[in-house]
Amino acid sequence: MRMVRRWYGEGPLHLVLMVSSFALAGWAGLRLLDGDAFRILVWFVGAAFVHDLVLLPLYASADRALRLPRARRSGPVNFVRVPLLLSGLLLLVWFPLVVGRSERYGPATGMSPDRFLGNWLLITAVLFGVSALWLVLRTVRGRRRARKGRLSASH
């Protein structure tokens, strides 16, 4: 156990879970692309490079810009992070259909390919709307509590 932890950095269960998750992803990719292993390898490597070299600096910079330098809490920033994360995840999963490259996937869904972009935009708008409403309710409730606390302290 110590040798595995020293060599790998985590326990053997973590290693087994990571290897099995990569195997499952590779199997799913092979099934999806009908055995074109080269395209799958290019996709995995390309996705890692695009994420690490392009997307990570982009969303880390945007996250840093959203946080105010004087604010100690990340409160309101999370009301942007969560819907953005969910919307991005939906875009990542349904990307071929959202951008109209659905010659392969469209028939499997049973829906018209023209609907996916509108549906994704609608879901994104609802996510941000619910998040904004939640922020407003939380802010109003916090102000009421603060005002109530000041009124009871003055008596």
Side-chain angles (χ1 to χ4, degrees):
M1 283 285 253
R2 287 184 185 176
M3 192 168 112
V4 171
R5 187 173 292 277
R6 186 200 269 158
W7 174 75
Y8 177 63
E10 290 290 331
L13 179 62
H14 185 269
L15 178 61
V16 168
L17 289 174
M18 291 302 293
V19 168
S20 60
S21 68
F22 278 112
L24 179 64
W27 176 80
L30 283 172
R31 299 277 301 175
L32 182 67
L33 296 175
D34 293 330
D36 191 357
F38 180 72
R39 279 180 41 189
I40 294 167
L41 182 65
V42 167
W43 185 85
F44 274 116
V45 171
F49 279 122
V50 167
H51 177 267
D52 291 348
L53 298 177
V54 177
L55 294 178
L56 180 65
L58 185 68
Y59 62 72
S61 300
D63 186 55
R64 188 170 295 255
L66 280 173
R67 278 194 252 158
L68 299 173
R70 63 187 177 275
R72 294 184 185 262
R73 295 182 347 192
S74 63
V77 175
N78 288 333
F79 289 93
V80 175
R81 282 181 184 158
V82 172
L84 191 63
L85 174 78
L86 293 173
S87 176
L89 183 63
L90 286 172
L91 179 62
L92 181 67
V93 170
W94 297 103
F95 184 75
L97 292 168
V98 170
V99 297
R101 301 278 323 254
S102 60
E103 59 272 352
R104 182 173 217 178
Y105 306 106
T109 63
M111 290 179 24
S112 169
D114 301 334
R115 297 180 55 181
F116 286 94
L117 177 61
N119 287 348
W120 176 74
L121 290 172
L122 180 64
I123 291 170
T124 300
V126 167
L127 286 171
F128 276 98
V130 167
S131 184
L133 181 63
W134 195 344
L135 177 61
V136 166
L137 292 174
R138 182 176 165 208
T139 304
V140 167
R141 190 175 67 195
R143 287 185 182 165
R144 283 184 186 166
R145 283 185 184 167
R147 191 173 58 218
K148 187 184 264 188
R150 281 185 298 209
L151 288 177
S152 63
S154 64
H155 290 306

